[in-house]
C-alpha cells in the first residue's frame, strides 16, 4: 500500500520487487482517486487510511510505503494515522517512510515552508514512531536529487529503455525525492530521512 502515491511511480515499480503483489493506495486527492479507479481498477484506491483499514482489516497489509506524505499532516492527525497504519500492518510487515530532513537547528527556518505542516529530525521521527508502537529497524539521512543525488538519474538514462524500470527498481534506495526544507546553507540541500519500521508487540 502506497500512502500518497501521486501518479503511481512506486506502484509501477512494485511488480519488479514483489511476487504477484496485490496493490493498494491511499490518495487524498479526489481527482487522482478517480483516475486510479478508472484507469487501474486492479489497484484498490482509498481516500483515507481508515478506509483502507476497513477493507483489509487489522494486519491485512504486508508493506506500507509513505514517501513525502507524513509531513503534510498536522501532528495531532499524524499520531492518529500512525496508529491506523500500525493496525493495518501485518505482524511481519514493514512500514517504509521517506520525509524531508530538517535538522533541529534549522526548525525555525522551516516553520513557514508550506504545504508542510510538520518537520522531522532523525531523533524526533524515531521517537514519534516508537511512541506509536513501531520498532525502528533503519533510519538514515540521505541526499536527495541534488548534487551527488543526481547521479542515479544519469545512470538510468544510459540504460536501454527495456531495462530502465527493472534497473530503477533495483536501485530504488537511491531514488530520493530531495524535498528539501529549512537548512540555510546549500551544503545541506536535498537531505531526506528514510526509515524502515515494524510493529512492536506482535
Amino acid at each position: 500500500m502506497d500512502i500518497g502515491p501521486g501518479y503511481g511511480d512506486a506502484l509501477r515499480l512494485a511488480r519488479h520487487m514483489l511476487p504477484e503483489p496485490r496493490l493498494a493506495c491511499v490518495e487524498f486527492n479526489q481527482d487522482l482517486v478517480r483516475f486510479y479507479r478508472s484507469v487501474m481498477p486492479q489497484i484498490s484506491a482509498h481516500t483515507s487510511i481508515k478506509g483502507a483499514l476497513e477493507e483489509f482489516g487489522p494486519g491485512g497489509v504486508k508493506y506500507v510505503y509513505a514517501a513525502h506524505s507524513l509531513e503534510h499532516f498536522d501532528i495531532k492527525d499524524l499520531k492518529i494515522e500512525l496508529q491506523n497504519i500500525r493496525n493495518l500492518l501485518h505482524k511481519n510487515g514493514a512500514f517504509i517512510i521517506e520525509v524531508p530532513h530538517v535538522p533541529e537547528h534549522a526548525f525555525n527556518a522551516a516553520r513557514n515552508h508550506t504545504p508542510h505542516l510538520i518537520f522531522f529530525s532523525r531523533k524526533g521521527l524515531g521517537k514519534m514512531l516508537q511512541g506509536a508502537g513501531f520498532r525502528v529497524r533503519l533510519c538514515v539521512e540521505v541526499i536527495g536529487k541534488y548534487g551527488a543525488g543526481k547521479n542515479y538519474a544519469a545512470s538510468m538514462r544510459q540504460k536501454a529503455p527495456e531495462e530502465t524500470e527493472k534497473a530503477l527498481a533495483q536501485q530504488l534506495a537511491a531514488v530520493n525525492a530531495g524535498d528539501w526544507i529549512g537548512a540555510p546553507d546549500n551544503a545541506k540541500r536535498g537531505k531526506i530521512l528514510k526509515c524502515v519500521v515494524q510493529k512492536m508487540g506482535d
Side-chain angles (χ1 to χ4, degrees):
M1 174 168 289
D2 191 349
I3 297 175
Y7 287 102
D9 292 342
L11 292 169
R12 282 194 295 273
L13 292 171
R15 63 192 173 92
H16 295 295
M17 296 183 289
L18 303 169
E20 300 181 11
R22 180 181 176 197
L23 301 177
C25 69
V26 174
E27 176 52 68
F28 306 99
N29 181 309
Q30 298 286 342
D31 291 334
L32 284 175
V33 170
R34 282 192 287 274
F35 166 77
Y36 278 117
R37 288 177 176 168
S38 64
V39 177
M40 292 178 277
Q42 72 277 20
I43 295 175
S44 178
H46 297 272
T47 56
S48 70
I49 298 168
K50 189 174 180 181
L53 182 58
E54 289 170 2
E55 178 184 344
F56 292 101
V61 174
K62 190 73 182 278
Y63 300 105
V64 177
Y65 178 66
H68 296 270
S69 299
L70 303 187
E71 66 269 26
H72 298 286
F73 293 94
D74 66 34
I75 192 162
K76 181 181 175 183
D77 289 340
L78 181 56
K79 287 179 178 179
I80 293 168
E81 296 299 5
L82 287 174
Q83 288 299 319
N84 286 333
I85 293 167
R86 187 186 182 283
N87 291 336
L88 186 63
L89 196 63
H90 188 274
K91 65 178 181 178
N92 295 320
F95 178 25
I96 303 101
I97 302 153
E98 183 178 303
V99 294
H101 176 243
V102 180
E104 292 169 15
H105 71 271
F107 271 27
N108 285 338
R111 285 183 197 273
N112 295 320
H113 197 283
T114 55
H116 301 107
L117 301 178
I118 187 171
F119 307 104
F120 300 98
S121 67
R122 189 162 148 187
K123 182 178 178 182
L125 179 59
K127 282 186 174 182
M128 179 178 281
L129 291 167
Q130 288 173 351
F134 293 101
R135 179 180 293 109
V136 179
R137 295 294 192 184
L138 172 74
C139 197
V140 295
E141 178 186 332
V142 292
I143 195 165
K145 293 180 183 175
Y146 300 99
K150 290 181 179 177
N151 292 341
Y152 87 88
S155 70
M156 290 300 103
R157 284 195 297 270
Q158 292 169 5
K159 294 185 179 292
E162 62 273 14
E163 297 175 0
T164 300
E165 273 196 337
K166 187 173 182 181
L168 185 58
Q170 291 169 345
Q171 298 183 26
L172 186 61
V175 185
N176 306 320
D179 191 354
W180 170 81
I181 53 178
D185 57 330
N186 286 336
K188 300 289 186 184
R189 185 177 285 273
K191 293 296 180 81
I192 61 171
L193 295 173
K194 284 198 162 196
C195 301
V196 178
V197 302
Q198 291 181 299
K199 291 169 76 166
M200 285 196 290
D202 286 342

